[in-house]
Amino acid sequence: MGRIVNNNDEDIKAFYDDTLVILEIAEYLKQECKPALCGKRFLTDTQLAEKLNITKRALQDYRDRGIISYYRLDGKILYSEDDVDDFLKASYRPKF
């Protein structure tokens, strides 16, 4: 005869804990990992503005002045993470 399992059973608690860990990992992957296209990862203007803590209008100004590289695909603006890294490195000013 089989045993009776309830929510106080150690196996159920372990399964629940493992499930929570998997959900946390899935949420992280959903938020942080972006699909690669031709070996590059891209950010939208909303994502980049949020990451840099600036407005989308400031990003538009950077684009208009040729300060930051971007791609326009069917009206959608995308920024290569590599280009963003280059932009940030070029903009870095050490504290004296």
Side-chain angles (χ1 to χ4, degrees), residues 36-80:
L37 178 63
C38 298
K40 291 186 175 186
R41 296 185 183 276
F42 294 90
L43 298 167
T44 65
D45 57 342
T46 302
Q47 291 169 326
L48 184 57
E50 184 177 304
K51 192 172 239 179
L52 297 178
N53 198 28
I54 60 175
T55 64
K56 289 179 8 178
R57 178 64 183 102
L59 279 176
Q60 181 181 348
D61 184 52
Y62 292 170
R63 289 193 311 268
D64 293 345
R65 295 190 306 162
I67 294 172
I68 190 167
S69 301
Y70 66 97
Y71 297 87
R72 183 185 306 263
L73 296 174
D74 198 26
K76 181 101 170 154
I77 302 295
L78 298 174
Y79 303 89
S80 165

Side-chain angles (χ1 to χ4, degrees), residues 21-37:
V21 171
I22 291 169
L23 287 173
E24 288 175 12
I25 292 169
E27 187 62 31
Y28 169 79
L29 291 173
K30 179 180 160 190
Q31 294 296 322
E32 299 299 324
C33 296
K34 292 129 187 101
L37 178 63

Side-chain angles (χ1 to χ4, degrees), residues 3-19:
R3 74 178 195 173
I4 297 175
V5 178
N6 62 30
N7 60 354
N8 293 324
D9 189 287
E10 291 301 316
D11 290 335
I12 296 299
K13 288 179 182 178
F15 176 77
Y16 179 76
D17 290 341
D18 290 345
T19 303

